[in-house]
Amino acid sequence: SVSSAHVELLEQATWTLVDDLFARHDTRVLSCTPDHDDPTPCVREIVRTFVPRAWRRPIDEATEDRFVAQAEAAIGSGAS
């Protein structure tokens, strides 16, 4: 079993990697550019591509939705 502390560390590492990928515009993961008016479709595509590769396992819809919501919140607060 994985502790909540380990899950949190994995999530933090994943976001660090995502930040790095966005900084380098890595097209292997960033297959689209989010539209300012409606970033959700592109964000969802990136999450569907990236997270299973990063975690080395499929993700469920709830996990995908959580990552999309976090990305949308970051975009809404001015993050790019």
Side-chain angles (χ1 to χ4, degrees):
S1 138
V2 178
S3 72
S4 60
H6 284 110
V7 170
E8 187 174 326
L9 288 171
L10 179 59
E11 186 174 4
Q12 289 172 355
T14 301
W15 283 111
T16 299
L17 184 56
V18 167
D19 289 342
D20 182 55
L21 289 169
F22 272 104
R24 292 185 296 128
H25 302 286
D26 192 326
T27 58
R28 292 173 296 168
V29 174
L30 303 177
S31 55
C32 58
T33 302
D35 183 312
H36 276 341
D37 294 330
D38 185 16
T40 302
C42 181
V43 168
R44 191 167 294 282
E45 179 181 329
I46 293 169
V47 168
R48 284 181 183 154
T49 303
F50 175 73
V51 176
R53 290 177 66 195
W55 287 8
R56 299 181 189 268
R57 64 175 175 81
I59 61 170
D60 59 30
E61 189 174 334
T63 301
E64 178 182 314
D65 290 344
R66 192 177 84 237
F67 274 102
V68 169
Q70 289 175 340
E72 288 175 333
I75 290 168
S77 70
S80 58

